[in-house]
Amino acid sequence: MSRSATAAQDTGPVPPRPGGPSTAGSRWSRIAAAARGHRVDAVVCLFFVLFAGVLTHRLWPAPGAHLLAFNPEDQTLYEWFLASDARLLFGDFGLLSDRLNAPDGVNLMANTTVIALGFLMAPVTVLFGAPVSFALLVAGNLAASAIAFYFLFSRPLGAHRLAAATGGAFCGFAPGMVSQSNSHLHMTALWLIPVMMWLLIRIMRAADPTGSTPDGRILGPAGRPDRRRIVTSGGWLGVVVAVQVFVGEEVLFLTAVTLIIMAAAFAATRPRYAWRILPNFVAGMLVAVAVGVVLLGYPLWFQFAGPQSVSDGVFDPAYFSADLASWPAVSELSVAGSAAAAELTTGPAEYNTFLGWPLVLVTAAATAWLIRRPVVVACAAGTLLMAGLSLGPRIVVDGAKSDVPGPYALLDGMPVVDGALPMRFALAVIPLIAVILTLAVDRALRLGWRPARLAVPAAVAVALIPVVPAPLPAMDRDQLPEFIAGGHWRSCVPSGGVLVPVPPATPPQPWPMAWATATTVDFGMPEGFFIGPYAPGGDASMGTFKLPTSKILAEVARTGEVPEITDEERARARRDLTRWGADCVVLVDDTPHAAELRQTTEDLLGPGQRVADAWTWPVS
């Protein structure tokens, strides 16, 4: 080769070497392009997170100093659950906990112990305390549910992002969701439901040998079903369902009932499509069931047949039924609501149906407009039936119970089913309405410059404005006694031992359970707030029966009157302490009627010992 040829070659462009500057630049360019493509998604998600923070801002900056004002009892219970769940980090965890209701314990599967959420937040709970984990979950469940549904609507359903954001916002911040945020963590964690829906859609699409959707759109090659995707999607569905069981079984149950109704309505509108995918779809569901059985066989057996198990519900369905007049009303937790709405429900944690007239009418109009779409027919059927089931065994209108039976009467008394409160069936309506609103806004935005392009989104906005949520009310929390906060409890209760508060915790007065929560449940307590088999015939009860000693102490705490204590009652007190496996009896100074309780306890057990801000009676 000549020198001139070599020189010419040297002057040409040099290919970039792997890992060189050009490759790096190309990589960052792709990342930047991907980021630009998701800017709208990022803005929507950030809005949901910030809005959830606004709704829960009264718990901050010190969650340990505040309680949700409308349901502090349940917050105390859920914080105990989170602290108990955090013991998974220490390898000290079982489905039967001996740290409450000593010595019998509590079946954690039979209670809404949000084990998956507790494990997820365990590092936060151990480092910063259960109140911080609780506050993060209250806000996080709302934001995560809205985000998950937004991506479901914008991706598998292919909706316009503004429409998807509208539907996602309603799913995350609907009146029922905000109401259940008053301490019902298991009811607001809906972020796995869109994942289940996505997997079901994958199975449906893979099961169709024509590679099309019910409306004829071609999604893939025709000729044979995608069996690999059917199996993998079914397997992952089983895994997600198993995780949801450890988040909240009631949500899973409501989802399953809703999907059965929707599937029947969908098949009725597209029977040929339904028959075409049925064999392969069933195969995918069998895979999901098989995986679910492997993962959930033992936990579900433990829940229904293990120690301290219950097989029925603890609440009266007739009492926890939705008032028909509550559907067009607006709750006091919404910006346009009033306190008068409280008369239409059982409490501020159950404003599940309060949609307001504008939203009811706009949803009905959108349904009529889109009724030719199979998914809208399915959502409409699900909405009507789940709303009907929420009305309970007998229809109630404006507080007056009628003789007209509701659809729930057909289910009343069925095993497992009666564990779900009728009025919570209304929560399943939230994502169904969200789908209808999303599709209506999406269709309007794709119409071009027609009047409906502006009119439909405007009508949806006007309907949603009255039910925009207001921040959750909060109250100051009683400070922990120095006896607990300063670690003085260790002087009379060993790790894993049993501390008996004076008086013991009960469902209406669970406050001493916060002592155990502050120690990450390092000691147990007798009695307490939980669901157990203590009703007649072993049926479900809230809490347990009182022993003679706890009955005496509870009466003194209620009345402030010191009873005359006999030798027989002293002997019973010793027997009760032995049954509980008690290590120490503790009365803190800020207990109501503390002086009378101290005198009574000393009459029962003898002189106490002063430790920090508490009186203690070590049990030898």
Side-chain angles (χ1 to χ4, degrees), residues 329-343:
V330 180
S331 86
E332 61 181 312
L333 295 176
S334 299
V335 294
S338 68
E343 298 178 2

Side-chain angles (χ1 to χ4, degrees), residues 18-40:
S22 298
T23 303
S26 176
R27 183 184 306 117
W28 284 111
S29 297
R30 290 195 300 270
I31 293 174
R36 285 193 298 271
H38 290 283
R39 280 180 299 184
V40 174

Side-chain angles (χ1 to χ4, degrees), residues 60-150:
W60 298 95
H66 301 95
L67 288 165
L68 291 172
F70 282 164
N71 199 1
E73 296 85 1
D74 277 0
Q75 180 171 345
T76 302
L77 172 65
Y78 275 88
E79 289 178 355
W80 188 94
F81 286 155
L82 293 173
S84 174
D85 297 337
R87 299 198 67 81
L88 278 162
L89 291 182
F90 312 132
D92 179 18
F93 183 84
L95 297 181
L96 181 72
S97 174
D98 62 355
R99 303 302 167 91
L100 198 63
N101 190 38
D104 296 338
V106 172
N107 187 316
L108 297 182
M109 290 299 299
N111 286 261
T112 54
T113 45
V114 292
I115 294 173
L117 298 182
F119 179 65
L120 178 67
M121 301 299 295
V124 175
T125 301
V126 172
L127 292 174
F128 303 105
V132 175
S133 292
F134 177 88
L136 288 173
L137 284 170
V138 172
N141 278 346
L142 294 175
S145 298
I147 290 170
F149 276 101
Y150 164 73

Side-chain angles (χ1 to χ4, degrees), residues 152 156-157 196-206 281:
L152 176 69
L157 291 187
M196 295 181 204
M197 299 302 99
W198 172 65
L199 291 168
L200 285 169
I201 291 171
R202 279 173 58 92
I203 295 174
M204 289 176 61
R205 290 175 175 174
F281 182 79

Side-chain angles (χ1 to χ4, degrees), residues 78 81-82 85 108-109 111-121 137 140-141 144-145 177 183-193 196 239-253 296 299-300 303 424:
Y78 275 88
F81 286 155
L82 293 173
D85 297 337
L108 297 182
M109 290 299 299
N111 286 261
T112 54
T113 45
V114 292
I115 294 173
L117 298 182
F119 179 65
L120 178 67
M121 301 299 295
L137 284 170
N141 278 346
S145 298
M177 287 288 286
S183 302
H184 294 164
L185 297 179
H186 66 301
M187 297 303 302
T188 59
L190 302 187
W191 31 270
L192 284 178
I193 304 305
M196 295 181 204
V239 172
V240 174
V241 167
V243 175
Q244 181 63 44
V245 166
F246 293 101
V247 173
E249 288 181 83
E250 194 168 351
V251 166
L252 182 62
F253 169 76
L296 295 173
L300 292 180
Q303 175 178 349
R424 290 187 182 171

